[in-house]
């Protein structure tokens, strides 16, 4: 889904850049409440996993490509604000060193994947968790649902941005059909991967999963005499 340089006009890119900068700024402040000494290393692991997962690209057409976003996965594991920072760092590294996306489109990519993907995914996760039985076993399923809805949501926002400021001579309807259609399929794959990864982490260390807070007793640190609730 990386948007290349020049695919959206300058005014649209500037607006998305401002939105991205504001979102990252808020996330930097809010993330402090999501992390502690035990969970902070998880953010680095999540960013590394998403970075590797985004290396698998699926051609979508109209000059764009699709891949795993990882927003819902990051939000469930480390929280939405920290997840937004993880995805933003991944996108920054990719734009600077791998020519994946573009620097003038960095704000657009962060808005789509780091903000829309993360927060729609987390909202979907919370919605599913409210419907499912309130137990640890529901967390992977809820995470999978969040991933499923986050990918086409980000694709839809891109299609809307293209309708406003697209520079390519391509019908907006074709872009919308290609992006949303293909990313709905990609969303199914992302849902499966997200569910499996979250299930594995919940099975081994539920106390490190942000989305499982309130559902799992906190495990004692090694050498601690803390009693598990």
């Amino acid at each position: 889904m990386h948007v290349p340089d020049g695919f959206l006009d300058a005014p649209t890119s500037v607006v998305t850049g401002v939105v991205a900068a504001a979102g990252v700024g808020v996330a930097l402040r809010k993330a402090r409440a999501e992390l502690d000494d035990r969970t902070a290393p998880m953010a680095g692991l999540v960013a590394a996993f998403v970075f590797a997962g985004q290396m698998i690209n699926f051609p979508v057409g109209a000059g764009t490509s699709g891949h795993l976003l990882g927003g819902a996965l990051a939000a469930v594991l480390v929280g939405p604000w920290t997840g937004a920072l993880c995805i933003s760092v991944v996108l920054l590294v990719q734009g600077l060193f791998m020519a994946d996306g573009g620097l003038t489109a960095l704000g657009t990519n962060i808005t789509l994947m780091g903000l829309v993907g993360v927060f729609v995914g987390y909202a979907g996760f919370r919605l599913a968790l409210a419907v499912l039985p309130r137990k640890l076993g529901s967390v992977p399923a809820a995470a999978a649902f969040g991933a499923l809805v986050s990918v086409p949501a980000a694709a839809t926002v891109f299609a809307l941005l293209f309708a406003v400021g697209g520079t390519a001579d391509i019908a907006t309807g074709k872009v919308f059909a290609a992006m949303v259609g293909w990313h709905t399929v990609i969303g199914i794959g992302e849902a499966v991967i997200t569910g499996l990864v979250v299930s594995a982490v919940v099975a081994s260390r539920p106390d490190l999963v942000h989305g499982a807070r309130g559902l799992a007793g906190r495990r004692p640190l090694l050498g601690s005499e803390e009693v598990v609730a």
Side-chain angles (χ1 to χ4, degrees):
M1 180 178 283
H2 288 80
V3 179
D5 287 325
F7 205 69
L8 298 177
D9 60 21
T12 304
S13 297
V14 168
V15 170
T16 57
V18 171
V19 171
V24 170
V26 174
L28 285 170
R29 296 194 300 271
K30 297 285 189 179
R32 299 175 184 175
E34 295 177 341
L35 299 175
D36 55 30
D37 291 340
R38 297 176 309 114
T39 58
M42 178 70 79
L45 294 175
V46 168
F49 183 86
V50 171
F51 183 88
Q54 288 195 1
M55 298 300 292
I56 304 174
N57 285 272
F58 306 89
V60 173
T64 63
S65 63
H67 52 73
L68 300 178
L69 269 65
L73 175 65
V76 173
L77 290 179
V78 295
W81 298 109
T82 306
L85 293 179
C86 290
I87 303 298
S88 298
V89 168
V90 168
L91 294 172
L92 177 61
V93 172
Q94 290 173 337
L96 287 174
F97 301 108
M98 304 184 68
D100 203 354
L103 293 181
T104 62
L106 181 61
T108 300
N109 288 317
I110 289 177
T111 297
L112 294 175
M113 290 179 274
L115 299 180
V116 175
V118 169
F119 287 97
V120 170
Y122 192 68
F125 165 74
R126 282 298 176 189
L127 177 63
L129 200 61
V131 175
L132 295 170
R134 189 169 177 78
K135 58 181 182 180
L136 275 178
S138 298
V139 174
F145 177 77
L148 177 64
V149 299
S150 69
V151 179
T156 299
V157 173
F158 168 78
L160 294 175
L161 290 174
F162 181 84
V164 173
T167 59
D169 186 19
I170 306 172
T172 301
K174 290 184 178 180
V175 173
F176 182 87
M179 289 296 295
V180 178
W182 277 106
H183 281 84
T184 298
V185 176
I186 294 172
I188 296 174
E190 177 146 348
V192 172
I193 294 173
T194 299
L196 291 175
V197 173
V198 172
S199 178
V201 179
V202 166
S204 58
R205 290 298 303 271
D207 57 312
L208 297 181
V209 179
H210 178 86
R213 291 180 179 179
L215 301 177
R218 179 172 174 175
R219 292 188 176 186
L221 299 177
L222 188 62
S224 173
E225 296 181 0
E226 178 184 1
V227 179
V228 179

